[in-house]
Amino acid sequence: MSDNMLPTQTKPKLIVVVAFDRGEDGELFAAYGPTDQQSEERAVRTAKALSSGHVGVIAWSRDADPALGDYGPPTTLFVCGDVPDME
């Protein structure tokens, strides 16, 4: 058996933060983002920092290969306040 092992390729991740406010009609709208984040930890820090200034904020990630149009299910990393349902 060979000691040469190929490194395991990790799937690229889409990591996003979005903050929401309410319009005069009461509907939620994206007031910040969606913005791509470099790591899940950074996304959570950014979302927590935004949570005091908006009615809702969410950070989420999913495995993604945009070149192939291949996206996995979203995983919520942080949520605070009112956010729309994830589709």
Side-chain angles (χ1 to χ4, degrees):
M1 184 179 250
S2 173
D3 289 338
N4 295 332
M5 297 187 65
L6 294 174
T8 307
Q9 285 189 335
T10 59
K11 288 186 174 183
K13 278 202 173 198
L14 177 63
I15 307 167
V16 177
V17 172
V18 186
F20 297 93
D21 286 334
R22 288 199 184 276
E24 290 182 14
D25 59 0
E27 294 294 317
L28 291 171
F29 68 91
Y32 173 88
T35 60
D36 292 332
Q37 301 293 306
Q38 295 175 344
S39 70
E40 291 179 344
E41 293 80 17
R42 182 179 177 123
V44 170
R45 282 195 312 270
T46 300
K48 286 181 179 180
L50 290 167
S51 66
S52 65
H54 299 279
V55 298
V57 63
I58 188 167
W60 56 272
S61 69
R62 66 173 25 165
D63 292 335
D65 190 343
L68 297 176
D70 186 24
Y71 297 93
T75 300
T76 301
L77 305 171
F78 177 86
V79 64
C80 180
D82 297 334
V83 297
D85 291 331
M86 300 243 336
E87 295 178 16

PDB file of all heavy atoms in Angstrom, residues 10-23:
ATOM      1  N   THR A  10     -11.839  19.528  -0.336  1.00  0.00           N
ATOM      2  CA  THR A  10     -13.047  19.998   0.323  1.00  0.00           C
ATOM      3  C   THR A  10     -13.879  20.753  -0.695  1.00  0.00           C
ATOM      4  O   THR A  10     -13.341  21.429  -1.569  1.00  0.00           O
ATOM      5  CB  THR A  10     -12.713  20.927   1.510  1.00  0.00           C
ATOM      6  OG1 THR A  10     -11.970  22.041   1.017  1.00  0.00           O
ATOM      7  CG2 THR A  10     -11.918  20.204   2.570  1.00  0.00           C
ATOM      8  N   LYS A  11     -15.169  20.603  -0.552  1.00  0.00           N
ATOM      9  CA  LYS A  11     -16.045  21.318  -1.459  1.00  0.00           C
ATOM     10  C   LYS A  11     -16.012  22.800  -1.108  1.00  0.00           C
ATOM     11  O   LYS A  11     -15.947  23.152   0.066  1.00  0.00           O
ATOM     12  CB  LYS A  11     -17.480  20.805  -1.327  1.00  0.00           C
ATOM     13  CG  LYS A  11     -17.699  19.447  -1.901  1.00  0.00           C
ATOM     14  CD  LYS A  11     -19.172  19.108  -1.852  1.00  0.00           C
ATOM     15  CE  LYS A  11     -19.413  17.793  -2.562  1.00  0.00           C
ATOM     16  NZ  LYS A  11     -20.839  17.462  -2.596  1.00  0.00           N
ATOM     17  N   PRO A  12     -16.062  23.630  -2.128  1.00  0.00           N
ATOM     18  CA  PRO A  12     -16.127  25.057  -1.818  1.00  0.00           C
ATOM     19  C   PRO A  12     -17.429  25.360  -1.087  1.00  0.00           C
ATOM     20  O   PRO A  12     -18.442  24.681  -1.291  1.00  0.00           O
ATOM     21  CB  PRO A  12     -16.093  25.734  -3.181  1.00  0.00           C
ATOM     22  CG  PRO A  12     -16.175  24.668  -4.206  1.00  0.00           C
ATOM     23  CD  PRO A  12     -16.068  23.348  -3.534  1.00  0.00           C
ATOM     24  N   LYS A  13     -17.390  26.361  -0.216  1.00  0.00           N
ATOM     25  CA  LYS A  13     -18.577  26.753   0.536  1.00  0.00           C
ATOM     26  C   LYS A  13     -18.966  28.167   0.170  1.00  0.00           C
ATOM     27  O   LYS A  13     -18.121  29.035  -0.006  1.00  0.00           O
ATOM     28  CB  LYS A  13     -18.309  26.703   2.038  1.00  0.00           C
ATOM     29  CG  LYS A  13     -18.433  25.341   2.606  1.00  0.00           C
ATOM     30  CD  LYS A  13     -18.689  25.404   4.081  1.00  0.00           C
ATOM     31  CE  LYS A  13     -18.987  23.990   4.540  1.00  0.00           C
ATOM     32  NZ  LYS A  13     -19.636  23.942   5.786  1.00  0.00           N
ATOM     33  N   LEU A  14     -20.258  28.352   0.095  1.00  0.00           N
ATOM     34  CA  LEU A  14     -20.838  29.678  -0.032  1.00  0.00           C
ATOM     35  C   LEU A  14     -21.240  30.066   1.388  1.00  0.00           C
ATOM     36  O   LEU A  14     -22.006  29.350   2.037  1.00  0.00           O
ATOM     37  CB  LEU A  14     -22.056  29.620  -0.956  1.00  0.00           C
ATOM     38  CG  LEU A  14     -22.845  30.896  -1.152  1.00  0.00           C
ATOM     39  CD1 LEU A  14     -21.986  31.965  -1.806  1.00  0.00           C
ATOM     40  CD2 LEU A  14     -24.066  30.615  -1.999  1.00  0.00           C
ATOM     41  N   ILE A  15     -20.671  31.161   1.898  1.00  0.00           N
ATOM     42  CA  ILE A  15     -20.937  31.614   3.258  1.00  0.00           C
ATOM     43  C   ILE A  15     -21.440  33.045   3.160  1.00  0.00           C
ATOM     44  O   ILE A  15     -20.766  33.911   2.607  1.00  0.00           O
ATOM     45  CB  ILE A  15     -19.665  31.540   4.127  1.00  0.00           C
ATOM     46  CG1 ILE A  15     -19.055  30.137   4.056  1.00  0.00           C
ATOM     47  CG2 ILE A  15     -19.967  31.943   5.561  1.00  0.00           C
ATOM     48  CD1 ILE A  15     -17.654  30.042   4.614  1.00  0.00           C
ATOM     49  N   VAL A  16     -22.645  33.288   3.689  1.00  0.00           N
ATOM     50  CA  VAL A  16     -23.345  34.539   3.425  1.00  0.00           C
ATOM     51  C   VAL A  16     -23.920  35.136   4.710  1.00  0.00           C
ATOM     52  O   VAL A  16     -24.364  34.401   5.592  1.00  0.00           O
ATOM     53  CB  VAL A  16     -24.500  34.291   2.422  1.00  0.00           C
ATOM     54  CG1 VAL A  16     -25.312  35.543   2.166  1.00  0.00           C
ATOM     55  CG2 VAL A  16     -23.951  33.748   1.111  1.00  0.00           C
ATOM     56  N   VAL A  17     -23.933  36.477   4.759  1.00  0.00           N
ATOM     57  CA  VAL A  17     -24.616  37.216   5.822  1.00  0.00           C
ATOM     58  C   VAL A  17     -25.578  38.197   5.162  1.00  0.00           C
ATOM     59  O   VAL A  17     -25.231  38.860   4.180  1.00  0.00           O
ATOM     60  CB  VAL A  17     -23.622  37.996   6.703  1.00  0.00           C
ATOM     61  CG1 VAL A  17     -24.350  38.923   7.678  1.00  0.00           C
ATOM     62  CG2 VAL A  17     -22.718  37.055   7.461  1.00  0.00           C
ATOM     63  N   VAL A  18     -26.801  38.258   5.718  1.00  0.00           N
ATOM     64  CA  VAL A  18     -27.806  39.221   5.260  1.00  0.00           C
ATOM     65  C   VAL A  18     -28.479  39.818   6.489  1.00  0.00           C
ATOM     66  O   VAL A  18     -28.853  39.082   7.405  1.00  0.00           O
ATOM     67  CB  VAL A  18     -28.892  38.570   4.373  1.00  0.00           C
ATOM     68  CG1 VAL A  18     -29.826  39.629   3.801  1.00  0.00           C
ATOM     69  CG2 VAL A  18     -28.293  37.730   3.265  1.00  0.00           C
ATOM     70  N   ALA A  19     -28.631  41.153   6.497  1.00  0.00           N
ATOM     71  CA  ALA A  19     -29.370  41.838   7.556  1.00  0.00           C
ATOM     72  C   ALA A  19     -30.626  42.440   6.940  1.00  0.00           C
ATOM     73  O   ALA A  19     -30.609  42.918   5.801  1.00  0.00           O
ATOM     74  CB  ALA A  19     -28.518  42.921   8.196  1.00  0.00           C
ATOM     75  N   PHE A  20     -31.710  42.431   7.715  1.00  0.00           N
ATOM     76  CA  PHE A  20     -33.006  42.882   7.215  1.00  0.00           C
ATOM     77  C   PHE A  20     -33.569  44.017   8.060  1.00  0.00           C
ATOM     78  O   PHE A  20     -33.339  44.084   9.272  1.00  0.00           O
ATOM     79  CB  PHE A  20     -34.011  41.717   7.244  1.00  0.00           C
ATOM     80  CG  PHE A  20     -33.617  40.585   6.354  1.00  0.00           C
ATOM     81  CD1 PHE A  20     -32.880  39.527   6.850  1.00  0.00           C
ATOM     82  CD2 PHE A  20     -33.969  40.575   5.018  1.00  0.00           C
ATOM     83  CE1 PHE A  20     -32.498  38.475   6.038  1.00  0.00           C
ATOM     84  CE2 PHE A  20     -33.593  39.535   4.187  1.00  0.00           C
ATOM     85  CZ  PHE A  20     -32.856  38.484   4.700  1.00  0.00           C
ATOM     86  N   ASP A  21     -34.301  44.894   7.399  1.00  0.00           N
ATOM     87  CA  ASP A  21     -35.101  45.932   8.041  1.00  0.00           C
ATOM     88  C   ASP A  21     -36.509  45.815   7.478  1.00  0.00           C
ATOM     89  O   ASP A  21     -36.752  45.044   6.549  1.00  0.00           O
ATOM     90  CB  ASP A  21     -34.528  47.327   7.766  1.00  0.00           C
ATOM     91  CG  ASP A  21     -33.247  47.594   8.558  1.00  0.00           C
ATOM     92  OD1 ASP A  21     -33.062  46.986   9.635  1.00  0.00           O
ATOM     93  OD2 ASP A  21     -32.433  48.418   8.104  1.00  0.00           O
ATOM     94  N   ARG A  22     -37.425  46.580   8.050  1.00  0.00           N
ATOM     95  CA  ARG A  22     -38.807  46.595   7.553  1.00  0.00           C
ATOM     96  C   ARG A  22     -39.072  47.899   6.828  1.00  0.00           C
ATOM     97  O   ARG A  22     -38.703  48.967   7.300  1.00  0.00           O
ATOM     98  CB  ARG A  22     -39.796  46.450   8.703  1.00  0.00           C
ATOM     99  CG  ARG A  22     -39.825  45.066   9.279  1.00  0.00           C
ATOM    100  CD  ARG A  22     -41.099  44.811  10.072  1.00  0.00           C
ATOM    101  NE  ARG A  22     -41.037  43.505  10.681  1.00  0.00           N
ATOM    102  CZ  ARG A  22     -41.367  42.371  10.078  1.00  0.00           C
ATOM    103  NH1 ARG A  22     -41.804  42.388   8.842  1.00  0.00           N
ATOM    104  NH2 ARG A  22     -41.275  41.215  10.701  1.00  0.00           N
ATOM    105  N   GLY A  23     -39.749  47.786   5.693  1.00  0.00           N
ATOM    106  CA  GLY A  23     -40.162  48.965   4.951  1.00  0.00           C
ATOM    107  C   GLY A  23     -41.416  49.558   5.576  1.00  0.00           C
ATOM    108  O   GLY A  23     -41.990  49.007   6.523  1.00  0.00           O
TER     109      GLY A  23
END
